[in-house]
Amino acid sequence: MQQTTAILLQKQGQNIAIESDIFSTSMQSEQNFYCQRFLEAREIDYTMANHPSRAYWVINSIDVNESEQDTHYIFVSEGEVTLKSANGEFLLQKNTFAAVPGNFSLNGSGKVLVATRLNYTGLFTIGGPIEPLGRLNYIDGCSSTVLINPLRRGEPCLNFLYVPPGVSQTPHTHPSLRIGLVAEGNGTCQVEEGTFKMQPGTVFCLPENKLHSFSAIDDSLRIIIYHPDSDVGPTDDSHTMLNNTFVGKTSAKVIDAIRTK
């Protein structure tokens, strides 16, 4: 099956519409880079990626009612919205975030990024606001915080990236999709298509293995990034409850006789 979709790119303040073909096959699909100011509600489909996902740019409201098997990672860019789900009703304000399994709705006056991991049931979480700096060293003077941790190694997470003024990252790739939003600051993102402005409200999708580099020349950048997978997190063979349970002086991690099978 072949679909044609228009991908909007914002290059040096100008919008360029690029027509591209997406081939939906069980083996491989062509994915596209996306970058645009948060000016209108929009849905981007990455269901043919290795970790099937969708991105929604929400203005004021959305009602998702066919998503019982999915988990949604939410970040409020502007204003405030009321979140309703099976877990209750909650007010989300600017720079707060959430993970919501199953159906949900948002209503209010705000702009919200929703990144959905299909066919994955996460844990309901609300947090925030984001901090000025990341807590973990990253690359090239940048820092990062895991806002919503993977419940198990390999599962999705939501991250915060801080790029200090004057820093231009080493060009790099990631093995899986990245969906992001600039929360604060100004800078650029360099990809093979060109150099794209990063400013508050800019949203982007980086396909798997997309070479890119963020730069913050005169200002810092604070970016929220959804990862559909992870290579860290607890496993059945190593997690805090297990590792720090001792029989005498021996961790239960290495006592097979009492380990839950």
Side-chain angles (χ1 to χ4, degrees):
M1 180 177 65
Q2 179 175 322
Q3 295 174 302
T4 301
T5 183
I7 305 299
L8 290 178
L9 303 177
Q10 184 188 55
K11 183 175 181 180
Q12 301 297 350
Q14 297 182 344
N15 292 336
I16 304 170
I18 295 179
E19 294 293 328
S20 60
D21 293 332
I22 299 178
F23 294 91
S24 300
T25 70
S26 59
M27 297 296 293
Q28 185 178 3
S29 67
E30 181 182 346
Q31 298 178 56
N32 296 279
F33 170 74
Y34 176 95
C35 181
Q36 175 66 37
R37 283 298 302 278
F38 205 145
L39 300 175
E40 61 181 7
R42 193 170 179 87
E43 176 183 347
I44 306 295
D45 191 327
Y46 282 91
T47 55
M48 293 306 296
N50 286 329
H51 303 87
S53 302
R54 286 195 178 97
Y56 302 88
W57 321 135
V58 178
I59 298 179
N60 299 337
S61 65
I62 189 173
D63 188 4
V64 177
N65 54 22
E66 296 182 354
S67 198
E68 281 294 340
Q69 307 303 316
D70 309 327
T71 297
H72 314 276
Y73 293 81
I74 295 171
F75 181 80
V76 180
S77 173
E78 293 182 20
E80 61 181 34
V81 292
T82 297
L83 164 67
K84 294 182 180 179
S85 74
N87 301 93
E89 185 173 319
F90 307 88
L91 180 66
L92 302 181
Q93 298 177 310
K94 181 179 178 178
N95 286 346
T96 60
F97 48 86
V100 182
N103 295 330
F104 75 99
S105 67
L106 297 173
N107 286 284
S109 179
K111 295 182 179 179
V112 184
L113 166 67
V114 180
T116 298
R117 179 68 163 88
L118 303 182
N119 301 314
Y120 167 74
T121 301
L123 185 67
F124 183 81
T125 306
I126 291 179
I130 58 173
E131 297 178 312
L133 305 176
R135 295 187 175 222
L136 302 172
N137 291 339
Y138 181 40
I139 63 170
D140 301 315
C142 302
S143 58
S144 175
T145 298
V146 185
L147 302 176
I148 299 177
N149 281 278
L151 299 176
R152 179 187 290 268
R153 183 179 297 174
E155 294 184 349
C157 55
L158 187 70
N159 288 269
F160 163 64
L161 170 64
Y162 171 71
V163 184
V167 166
S168 183
Q169 289 182 328
T170 302
H172 60 279
T173 64
H174 306 294
S176 57
L177 169 71
R178 298 292 184 264
I179 296 172
L181 179 145
V182 178
E184 297 174 348
N186 290 274
T188 62
C189 179
Q190 178 73 43
V191 292
E192 64 181 349
E193 289 86 351
T195 300
F196 296 86
K197 288 185 177 181
M198 296 281 109
Q199 51 192 313
T202 298
V203 289
F204 61 87
C205 292
L206 292 166
E208 300 160 5
N209 300 309
K210 180 70 172 179
L211 187 67
H212 65 283
S213 171
F214 291 111
S215 298
I217 305 305
D218 299 319
D219 194 0
S220 61
L221 274 173
R222 292 173 174 82
I223 306 174
I224 304 302
I225 306 176
Y226 155 82
H227 297 203
D229 65 336
S230 60
D231 66 349
V232 298
T235 68
D236 288 329
D237 295 322
S238 180
H239 59 85
T240 298
M241 181 75 80
L242 177 67
N243 298 349
N244 286 338
T245 295
F246 285 82
V247 178
K249 295 184 177 181
T250 303
S251 169
K253 178 179 179 178
V254 297
I255 307 177
D256 289 340
I258 66 171
R259 288 270 305 278
T260 300
K261 302 296 190 290

